[in-house]
Amino acid sequence: MATRERMRALIELADQDERIGKLRTKLAGLQDQRRQVEARIESERAKLEAKRGELHELERRSREAGDEVDDLDSQIRKHQKQLDEGLLSFKEMETVRTTIEHNRERMESLEDEALQIMDQVEAREAELAEEGKRFDDWKARMDADLQALDADIAAQERKIAEAQAKRDELAEAVDERLYERYERLRGELSDPIVPVRDGRCTGCQLGLSETSMERVREGSDLVTCENCMRILYAS
């Protein structure tokens, strides 16, 4: 195969690799968008769950206050019965009366606290019901966005598969030794084969020697940049 034909085949392959690179960049962008949408959904869900946790804490405090009120009421009844039976000494009776008074004060305080907590619970329940509805409506829109992104991602993956199949065909037409050299350079450079313009390698932008320029113009053999080792061709 003549050098010009070999270079033409390699240029076609490089162009296809560039197209595949752009397709993969677009795919990565779509996948990143999907991750961002998912992260946003999880963030909003976590906020809602935190508020539900706060409501559960209020409900727990309300139950605890109610249980303590019931316990204090039971103690007051028990101590009052002891006083009514009249079997205690004067000192014991004074101690029991003090305990009853202390328990009644504590019970009144807890009842006030329980009422305040119940008011907070009712308000939070109403807020959460509204926020839960807003979240569900918003998430439905986000789920639709995810479905659209999934369709775009699948379409992009098909394009890449088709482009890769075409690339495999082009690679078969490239000289084996030239292909191996191209692949080695491609592992190091994003543009292993570049045109020459105004006497410069368009990869590293450095000027070429007259000898290299003449060889590029003739196209009779493979020419590489003396500086960056990219494969060169006439633009």
Side-chain angles (χ1 to χ4, degrees):
M1 182 185 295
T3 300
R4 288 184 183 276
E5 293 178 353
R6 293 167 59 204
M7 286 300 300
R8 189 178 299 112
L10 183 61
I11 291 169
E12 288 181 3
L13 178 63
D15 288 344
Q16 186 68 6
D17 281 335
E18 184 178 358
R19 283 191 287 272
I20 292 173
K22 290 178 179 178
L23 290 172
R24 286 177 173 162
T25 296
K26 185 175 180 179
L27 174 61
L30 291 170
Q31 292 171 332
D32 186 56
Q33 286 181 46
R34 194 186 198 289
R35 284 191 292 269
Q36 289 178 19
V37 172
E38 287 182 323
R40 189 178 173 194
I41 290 173
E42 289 307 311
S43 175
E44 293 302 318
R45 180 184 283 114
K47 291 177 183 177
L48 187 60
E49 287 303 316
K51 291 181 179 180
R52 285 173 177 159
E54 292 172 359
L55 173 60
H56 293 156
E57 176 62 17
L58 285 173
E59 291 171 337
R60 183 191 65 77
R61 287 172 56 196
S62 178
R63 288 193 300 271
E64 286 184 351
D67 291 344
E68 190 171 352
V69 166
D70 291 342
D71 184 57
L72 288 170
D73 183 63
S74 177
Q75 291 181 41
I76 290 171
R77 291 176 183 276
K78 175 182 176 182
H79 291 146
Q80 187 61 50
K81 182 179 179 181
Q82 290 175 333
L83 291 177
D84 293 343
E85 290 173 348
L87 301 177
L88 302 175
S89 66
F90 178 79
K91 184 175 181 181
E92 288 173 335
M93 290 175 66
E94 287 299 310
T95 299
V96 170
R97 288 193 183 98
T98 300
T99 300
I100 289 174
E101 185 62 25
H102 176 269
N103 285 348
R104 280 177 177 160
E105 290 176 357
R106 174 60 180 161
M107 189 167 71
E108 289 176 1
S109 175
L110 282 172
E111 286 173 339
D112 290 341
E113 180 182 342
L115 287 174
Q116 291 177 4
I117 294 175
M118 287 177 64
D119 288 342
Q120 293 179 47
V121 167
E122 290 177 0
R124 290 291 180 88
E125 284 177 339
E127 291 174 4
L128 272 175
E130 184 62 28
E131 289 187 23
K133 183 179 183 303
R134 284 199 299 269
F135 174 80
D136 290 340
D137 292 342
W138 172 81
K139 185 176 180 297
R141 294 194 297 274
M142 293 299 101
D143 287 342
D145 288 348
L146 286 176
Q147 288 181 354
L149 282 169
D150 285 340
D152 289 344
I153 288 170
Q156 197 67 11
E157 288 174 339
R158 286 193 296 271
K159 288 180 181 179
I160 291 173
E162 292 169 1
Q164 186 62 47
K166 177 64 175 177
R167 197 259 184 201
D168 292 342
E169 292 179 10
L170 292 172
E172 291 180 1
V174 177
D175 177 81
E176 184 176 350
R177 293 181 62 185
L178 186 57
Y179 178 77
E180 290 175 357
R181 185 167 188 174
Y182 169 76
E183 284 294 293
R184 284 197 300 271
L185 286 170
R186 199 160 74 98
E188 303 170 2
L189 303 167
S190 60
D191 52 350
I193 175 170
V194 297
V196 173
R197 292 194 182 96
D198 299 325
R200 295 179 178 275
C201 164
T202 54
C204 65
Q205 302 303 320
L206 291 182
L208 301 173
S209 68
E210 284 298 324
T211 301
S212 293
M213 283 300 302
E214 184 62 28
R215 291 172 61 205
V216 169
R217 282 192 291 267
E218 290 177 355
S220 58
D221 62 349
L222 180 67
V223 184
T224 58
C225 175
E226 300 98 327
N227 178 60
C228 67
M229 302 307 294
R230 285 177 170 88
I231 300 171
L232 304 174
Y233 65 91
S235 59

